[in-house]
Amino acid sequence: MARNTALYFRLVEGKNLPAKDVSGTSDPYCIVKVDNEVVARTATVWRDLNPFWGEEFTLHLPLGFHTLSFYVMDEDTIGHDDVIGKISLSKENIASQPRGIDSWINLSRVDPDEEVQGEIYLELHIMQDQHKSNLHCHVLEARDLAPRDISGTSDPFVRIFCNNQTLETTVIKRTRFPRWNEVLEFDLRGIEELDPGDQMISIEVWDWDMVGKNDFLGRVWFPLEPLQRNPAVTGWFRLLPFGNTEEENGGKLGSLRVKVNLSEERILPSVYYQNLIQLLVESVQSSDQSESSLVALLEEMCSAESRQEVAVKLVKIFLGQGLAVTFLDKLNMREVNRTGDPNTLFRSNSLASKSMEQYMKIVGMPFLHEVLRPIITRIFEEKRYVELDPCKIDLNRSRRISFKGSVSEQQIRESSLEFLKGYLSDIIDAILGSVEQCPPGMRLCFKQLHKRVEERFPGPNNQDVKYAAISGFLFLRFFAPAILTPKLFHLREHHADPRTARTLLLLAKAVQSIGNLGQQLGHGKEQWMSPLHPLIQQSVGRLRDFLDRLIDTESDSECSQMSRTLFHPSVTIKEGFLHKRKAEAVHLVTRFTFKKRYFWLSSQTLSYSKSPDWQVRSSIPVHRICAIERVDENAFQQPNMMQIISQDNEAQGGHIMYIQCKNVNELNQWLSALRKVSLCNQRLLPTYHPGAYRNSHWTCCLQSDRAGKVYPLNFYSFPFTQDSSHIFHFVSPSAWVQSDTLGCDIG
C-alpha cells in the first residue's frame, strides 16, 4: 500500500505589485516550491503590475511535505531577477480547509535568513558516570543545502552551542552535500544552573565567506532533558530558520490570488482495483441505459467540484482498456437523450462534457500543435498592433504602422482588419484542411456524437444541431481556448505581451463565432466586429463540409483498435533544445561536457542532432529504454537534470545519457513524455540510481557496484524524500505528475 498526497494549486493572478524596473512596471513570474524544492514556474507577464497567469498544477507527493511557497519574481534581462515577495502555506494550514483555499493573500517580505533548506544527519548521545556527564554530537553529513555563493554552491560548516560552549566543524568547500564525520564533545557539568530555556543544544549550519559575514543555512535544536531520559538520538533532521519573521506589510508588496487543495489517499496494489475496473468495463460494454447502471450512478454521485477530476481518471482508465470511445459514446448518449432544448446541448459542465474535453486534450494535443503552432508562432513574432474597438484604439501605438506621420483611427481599423483577415484565413485553412491529421479516436467520437444527436433531434429544423454539437467541442473547447492562451496548451513557453494578447483575443472571438455556426452574428454588443462577419459566414459554410469529411471514417471496430494508441508512430510527441552530457565525460570541465542538441520524441524513437535542420541524427529506439529518472543535483552540481538508461541487448550493460533542461517545468514535461512512451517496455527497470557513478562509486548511495543491481522497494520516487536509507528511486509514471489547466500529465 502506498500513501499518496495530491496537492493541487492554481496561480490565478496578482494585483498591486510594486514596480521594480525603471519604466515604472515589472515583469512578474512565479516560482513554486515544496519544502524549498522548485516544482513549477509560471510564464513571465511583461510590463504588468496586475498580471494574470491562470496556470494550475497537480503534484503527487507520496511522502508528504511541510510547506508550499509561492515566490513572485521580476525578470531582468541583465543581472539577477528581483524578488518581489512570497506566500508560505504550511501543510497543516492547507489541510485544515476541507474545500481548499481560494483567496487573495498579501505577499510578505523575503528574509534571506528564513530561506533555508536541506537536512543534516546527527548522532547525539549522553555519556554519564559518577564524576561527569558529556554530550557527544556526531556530525556526519548534510544534503540539499541552500546555495549561497555565486557558483551555485556553498562552503558549509557546523557551529554548535551547548552549556555556554561553542564548537565548530571544519569548512567543506564548494558543495551543497557536505560530509564532515566529526565528533564534538560538550561538558554538561553545571547545566542545571542555567535557565530552563537555555538547557538545550543548538546546531547551526553556516556558509563560510572569506569576505563579509557568513551566511546562515539553517539550524536544529534539542532540549537536553529528553536526551538525558533517552540518551541516543540518530537520524536526518530538517534544517529550520531562526524564527518566523514574515510580515504581510499591509499589502504594500501586492497580493496573489491562489487556489490550493490537498487530498491524501492510500493506494493499494493494482490487483485490488481489478474488480472495480471489470465493473466499469462491463457497464460500458452492456446495453443497459437505465439510471441504475454504474456509469449513470457515477455521473449522479460526483459533485460539480469533483467532476473534472473524475472525468480525468475515467478517461485514463478507459484509454488503458481501449474503451475510451465506447465510454464517451455512453455518456454522450445519456446527455443527448435527457436534453429537451437543442440550444442547451452540452452547454453545461456535465461529466460527458468534461470527459470529451479531457479526451481531446490527451489524445489530440499533437494534432492541435501541428495545426496551430505555425500561425501562432507567426503572430507572436510579428507583434502587430491590431484593434477594431473604437473605444480602445490608441493612436500612440500606431507609430509602427506608418513612419510618414500620424495616422487616423480609420487607417488603424483598416490595417487591423487586413491583419485579422490574414491571420483568421490561415487559421481556418489550417483547421479545415486537417481531416487526415485528426486522431482516429477523435473522429470516431465525433461520428458517434453526430449519429446520437441526429437520432434525438431529427427534422429539417434541426439540421445544424448535429454540426453544432461537434463544433462546440472542437472549436469552442479546443481550438478557441488554445488560440486565446497558447501558453496553457504548450504552444508557447511564455504568455503573450499585451499587444499580441489582444490580437489573439480577437481571433479567438472569431473562431468561437465560427464554432457557433454564426448564429449570434449581429446580435451581440460588439458590433465593431462586423467587418469580420462576411469571412466568418463564408467559413461556416466550409465548416459543415469539413465536419462531414471528419466523420467519414473507418468502421467502428477498426477505429476502436486504433484508439488504444495515443500517438501515431510518425507523430512528434515532444521536441526542443536540451543540453546533452556524455556519461563518460567525467574528467572534463562542466562547460565542455554539455552540448546543446535538438531532440525529437515519437512513440518509436528519441532522436537528436545539432539543430532542427541538421541532416544527421542519432537516435535511441524507445523499446530499448530501461529507465528514465531525475538526477540529484549533487551528482554534477547542476539543476534540472534527468538520465535515460538504454540497453542494446540482454548481455550488455546499460548506456546512460544525461540531459539538462532549462527549468523544472521542461524537466517534468520531458520526464512525463518519456515515461508514457516507454511504459510498456519489457526491459523497464523498477528502480535505478538517482545519482551518477563518479570516482568509483555512486554519488547517491556511495555504493561501488557500477552494474546497478536492482533492489525491490516499497516506496515511490520523490525528490523531497526525508528517508536517508534509499539507494534507488522507483521509476514510475505515476510517481510524479504535474498537470496544467488541460488536465493532461506533464511531469
Side-chain angles (χ1 to χ4, degrees), residues 207-337:
D207 167 51
W208 177 83
D209 287 330
M210 181 177 296
V211 179
K213 65 176 184 178
N214 298 329
D215 300 313
F216 179 68
L217 294 175
R219 69 187 290 246
V220 292
W221 61 94
F222 304 89
L224 291 179
E225 183 179 355
L227 285 175
Q228 292 171 342
R229 294 196 304 267
N230 181 25
V233 173
T234 302
W236 285 99
F237 300 95
R238 181 168 168 249
L239 293 172
L240 301 172
F242 273 123
N244 187 10
T245 60
E246 294 184 7
E247 301 175 2
E248 286 193 354
N249 294 291
K252 294 180 181 179
L253 298 177
S255 55
L256 198 63
R257 185 187 173 196
V258 296
K259 294 183 179 180
V260 183
N261 196 11
L262 177 69
S263 61
E264 294 188 328
E265 306 165 336
R266 294 182 181 273
I267 302 177
L268 301 172
S270 60
V271 64
Y272 290 93
Y273 297 100
Q274 292 305 312
N275 290 337
L276 174 60
I277 292 176
Q278 187 62 33
L279 284 174
L280 289 170
V281 169
E282 292 174 356
S283 176
V284 165
Q285 291 178 329
S286 71
S287 58
D288 183 11
Q289 296 294 328
S290 67
E291 295 298 320
S292 61
S293 67
L294 183 56
V295 172
L297 292 174
L298 279 173
E299 189 173 8
E300 294 300 325
M301 290 175 59
C302 67
S303 62
E305 294 82 6
S306 63
R307 206 164 285 153
Q308 170 92 2
E309 185 178 1
V310 172
V312 172
K313 287 180 168 56
L314 287 176
V315 167
K316 290 182 177 179
I317 287 174
F318 286 109
L319 273 172
Q321 299 296 316
L323 293 171
V325 174
T326 307
F327 163 67
L328 294 171
D329 182 42
K330 198 92 167 181
L331 286 180
N332 290 338
M333 188 187 306
R334 285 179 45 79
E335 181 83 4
V336 170
N337 290 339

Side-chain angles (χ1 to χ4, degrees), residues 719-732:
F720 318 128
T721 176
Q722 305 294 311
D723 185 354
S724 65
S725 62
H726 82 281
I727 296 178
F728 300 95
H729 279 191
F730 181 77
V731 182
S732 166

Side-chain angles (χ1 to χ4, degrees), residues 450-468:
H450 181 277
K451 177 183 176 182
R452 304 303 180 193
V453 175
E454 191 173 36
E455 292 173 347
R456 178 69 177 86
F457 300 103
N461 294 331
N462 295 320
Q463 282 296 315
D464 279 345
V465 178
K466 54 182 178 292
Y467 293 115

Side-chain angles (χ1 to χ4, degrees), residues 141-145 156 175-179 632-635 637:
E141 58 181 320
R143 62 187 181 192
D144 195 29
L145 299 180
T175 181
R176 295 175 51 229
F177 297 80
R179 186 174 182 85
D632 286 343
E633 221 172 290
N634 68 314
Q637 300 293 334

